[in-house]
Amino acid sequence: MGYEEAVSAHYGHGGIEEKLLGMITADGGNPGHFAPADLHGADQLHVGGALATTRIAGRAGINGGSHVLDLGSGMGGVSRHLAHDFGATVHGVDLTPAFVDLARSLTERTGLSGQVTFSQGSILALPFGDNSFDTALMVHVGMNIRDKDKVFAETARVLRPGSVFAVYEVMLLGGDLEQFPLPWAASEETSFVQPPLAYSDALAQAGFDVDYEAKPLAEGIEFLEHAIAGEGPAGVDKDAIVNLLAAFKAGILAPVEIYARLA
Ligand SMILES: C[S@@+](CC[C@H](N)C(=O)[O-])C[C@H]1O[C@@H](n2cnc3c(N)ncnc32)[C@H](O)[C@@H]1O
């Protein structure tokens, strides 16, 4: 199995849609039609959940006129959030076929299919022409990507000059990462965490100017503590969350946001 197949197999296990729709029913809602926020962020697979998405969208300047590319869109939670709360038009690309199917199904059920669309594929080779988007987001995806340079070069190609690229990832701050599983990988074979400097160098190489960096560590720790108590993203192994929390507290890993602009 190649490494992309192993990444896709890690995420593509079943039962998540039933779990999410079960949440809606348990709250007295209609699983055929509900608002994105009714999932309480369980469809957003990143540290900080919906709160982090709201902050990132604000910092990236996303609004009703934005045409956003969501790189590694997972179940589509980030894309729907940007469309529903900020009015953006969003296209998500993801490697994992089961997630793309789930993203489409949830988007249909939230009535956002006219504004939010998805493609299955690798962000190492984007299926779009040059200058197709005015904003890009990559949220907790690079940890699974060995060739980040390629992704950033592809992103630069499909963005218009002056566009904002917001990158929100778990990054390596120091020490050795020994404790697996982590939420994105069962072993080091599919984990490619890197320091913030490696990201900013690769972004600069692809033609981006880095504007701003933030490290919402305290919020991340609080989020993971809640997730361990059962209020987190759907389908994530509890041992993986416990290991991530330990790595945050040990100063090995941290959530980092980088905002860059295409020159
Ligand atoms: C931790 S999830 C984050 C999903 C989403 N960004 C969110 O925050 O809810 C990582 C996602 O990256 C996707 N992914 C990993 N490598 C990819 C690649 N080369 N191309 C496209 N998607 C990829 C996985 O399939 C998975 O859905």
Side-chain angles (χ1 to χ4, degrees):
M1 193 181 340
Y3 102 84
E4 284 199 331
E5 281 92 348
V7 168
S8 183
H10 174 76
Y11 290 106
H13 47 81
I16 299 181
E17 182 157 22
E18 291 68 22
K19 187 174 173 193
L20 293 172
L21 298 182
M23 278 175 56
I24 300 292
T25 310
D27 284 348
N30 172 4
H33 190 73
F34 52 88
D38 294 345
L39 290 171
H40 305 295
D43 57 341
Q44 301 202 24
L45 276 177
H46 57 264
V47 174
L51 211 66
T53 304
T54 297
R55 182 183 58 241
I56 291 163
R59 286 179 171 168
I62 292 172
N63 58 42
S66 302
H67 187 205
V68 183
L69 175 61
D70 182 7
L71 295 156
S73 42
M75 305 181 223
V78 170
S79 298
R80 284 186 294 277
H81 187 131
L82 300 179
H84 184 270
D85 288 25
F86 293 84
T89 303
V90 189
H91 190 86
V93 180
D94 200 279
L95 190 64
T96 303
F99 269 180
V100 176
D101 290 347
L102 176 54
R104 287 184 178 136
S105 167
L106 294 173
T107 301
E108 187 71 43
R109 290 166 195 272
T110 52
L112 287 168
S113 298
Q115 220 175 319
V116 183
T117 48
F118 298 95
S119 318
Q120 189 276 325
S122 173
I123 58 173
L124 290 161
L126 291 169
F128 310 109
D130 299 358
N131 305 315
S132 298
F133 298 90
D134 56 43
T135 315
L137 244 68
M138 184 168 94
V139 180
H140 283 41
V141 181
M143 298 98 83
N144 284 130
I145 296 196
R146 194 164 39 204
D147 311 315
K148 293 179 189 55
D149 305 18
K150 236 186 210 172
V151 171
F152 294 165
E154 272 293 85
T155 306
R157 180 182 66 74
V158 303
L159 283 177
R160 292 184 202 119
S163 297
V164 173
F165 183 18
V167 176
Y168 174 43
E169 304 268 295
V170 174
M171 298 190 193
L172 187 65
L173 295 196
D176 288 326
L177 193 52
E178 282 165 1
Q179 212 59 47
F180 284 89
L182 287 163
W184 57 91
S187 75
E188 60 186 4
E189 245 112 277
T190 50
S191 182
F192 306 100
V193 284
Q194 286 191 296
L197 195 60
Y199 275 83
S200 14
D201 282 352
L203 284 164
Q205 198 67 33
F208 291 94
D209 295 324
V210 173
D211 277 346
Y212 180 73
E213 194 179 300
K215 199 189 302 160
L217 183 60
E219 172 194 289
I221 288 175
E222 197 183 325
F223 177 84
L224 294 179
E225 283 168 348
H226 279 110
I228 289 166
E231 299 161 43
V236 184
D237 178 29
K238 202 152 279 182
D239 291 346
I241 302 175
V242 169
N243 288 338
L244 181 58
L245 178 60
F248 277 10
K249 287 185 169 172
I252 298 171
L253 297 176
V256 181
E257 294 167 26
I258 297 178
Y259 298 85
R261 193 175 293 277
L262 189 61

